[in-house]
Amino acid sequence: MFGDRFYPLLAHLSPWKQSLFALALAQRQLANFCLWSSLAKQDQGSTHFANCLKQLWYYHQDKFNHIDLSKALAQFDPFVPDLEQEADPEDPSTGALLATDAAICLTVAYDAILMHEGNEAEIASRASLSAAILVARQRAEDFLDDEALRDTAEVDNEVNFQVSLLELLIKAQRDPSLVHLILKSSTKDGCSNIGLTLTEDLPYLHADFYALEVQKLKAAAAQGKAATAHKAKVSSPYGKVPRGGRKHGAPGHKLKGRDN
């Protein structure tokens, strides 16, 4: 659906760019995850998903940060949907498939830093597109083939966003202003990638929840210090990644990519 050039271009992105790409797609699926969390009575799931988003946005904005990404992801892991425990994992009305796609994007956004293998952006791309395709088919009266799917609003918006995001990242330099730009585009109108909007005016629906103050960042950077208050173990795209990445069986072990 993206053509032969799209995924190879994603694969050539550096680890921090692949992480940002996946993070933006995860952010756009926050409301999707919240839907499942509410239906499944996993009330804390949305909070932990939003917190994981926040920690990684902070991480990319502040190159001197000391945020322990493994710890943040571990706190979210208990709230990842387990499709094997669903009565009907293919039933779109439960929201489980949408939440799984969202969790995949969030997890690989972390993996691009913690245990980069080079395909994290592609995994996120396919997962986010899967959510758009699922909803497009659910809303259609007739079966949609690939050509018809491409013309639906859900898939068209998803493809256009991903292409624009890739074009922005290809030649980009690492800078907080870039992160702020991507963050704002990912939280625009408070809508998800399938047009889902939460009825409550929650703080984590807005860019301000995830953005660090520019002046605070500049002042801290001038002193070579972190703008965040976190003092946990360092594992940074600006420094060394812990050897071996995440341990076997760590967060994300339940997640598997879905076919589009």
Side-chain angles (χ1 to χ4, degrees):
M1 193 166 290
F2 281 106
D4 296 335
R5 295 184 60 223
F6 188 75
Y7 291 127
L9 287 173
L10 287 181
H12 281 90
L13 293 177
S14 61
W16 71 269
K17 288 183 178 181
Q18 291 208 34
S19 176
L20 264 181
F21 183 91
L23 179 59
L25 300 188
Q27 183 71 56
R28 277 167 44 89
Q29 295 176 80
L30 170 60
N32 304 354
F33 190 89
C34 290
L35 171 65
W36 170 81
S37 181
S38 176
L39 292 174
K41 302 187 184 304
Q42 296 280 355
D43 297 334
Q44 296 184 53
S46 299
T47 301
H48 284 283
F49 190 94
N51 180 64
C52 266
L53 290 170
K54 184 175 185 177
Q55 297 306 312
L56 200 50
W57 283 117
Y58 277 10
Y59 193 82
H60 280 291
Q61 291 171 80
D62 182 9
K63 72 177 182 179
F64 294 104
N65 67 69
H66 297 276
I67 296 174
D68 189 333
L69 296 183
S70 294
K71 180 179 179 180
L73 196 57
Q75 292 173 340
F76 168 66
D77 189 47
F79 302 96
V80 172
D82 187 348
L83 295 181
E84 293 182 357
Q85 299 301 316
E86 295 286 332
D88 183 2
E90 297 299 320
D91 181 4
S93 65
T94 66
L97 291 176
L98 293 175
T100 297
D101 290 328
I104 288 171
C105 290
L106 180 62
T107 301
V108 297
Y110 275 78
D111 283 348
I113 301 301
L114 295 174
M115 48 183 298
H116 180 62
E117 295 182 358
N119 64 343
E120 288 82 12
E122 179 178 344
I123 292 173
S125 172
R126 292 183 182 276
S128 191
L129 181 59
S130 290
I133 290 174
L134 176 68
V135 173
R137 283 184 167 151
Q138 184 181 11
R139 293 172 178 171
E141 296 181 359
D142 301 314
F143 175 78
L144 301 176
D145 58 18
D146 287 348
E147 184 176 351
L149 277 170
R150 184 61 182 84
D151 292 332
T152 62
E154 296 85 1
V155 173
D156 185 58
N157 290 335
E158 177 66 28
V159 169
N160 289 338
F161 181 85
Q162 290 197 29
V163 170
S164 297
L165 183 57
L166 173 61
E167 291 175 343
L168 178 63
L169 284 169
I170 285 178
K171 297 182 179 180
Q173 299 296 315
R174 187 178 292 156
D175 188 87
S177 62
L178 169 70
V179 181
H180 287 180
L181 176 61
I182 294 175
L183 172 57
K184 288 183 178 180
S185 67
S186 303
T187 55
K188 185 178 180 181
D189 302 325
C191 291
S192 77
N193 66 328
I194 58 172
L196 186 63
T197 305
L198 296 180
T199 55
E200 297 180 75
D201 187 22
L202 301 169
Y204 53 70
L205 298 181
H206 307 286
D208 290 346
F209 180 79
Y210 308 96
L212 293 170
E213 295 181 15
V214 176
Q215 294 302 320
K216 184 178 181 181
L217 281 168
K218 289 182 177 179
Q223 302 177 46
K225 298 181 178 179
T228 59
H230 300 273
K231 299 299 181 183
K233 179 182 177 182
V234 178
S235 58
S236 170
Y238 303 92
K240 295 183 178 179
V241 176
R243 182 175 298 176
R246 292 191 284 118
K247 294 181 180 179
H248 177 70
H253 66 281
K254 292 184 288 187
L255 296 175
K256 296 180 180 179
R258 299 199 292 111
D259 293 333
N260 289 341

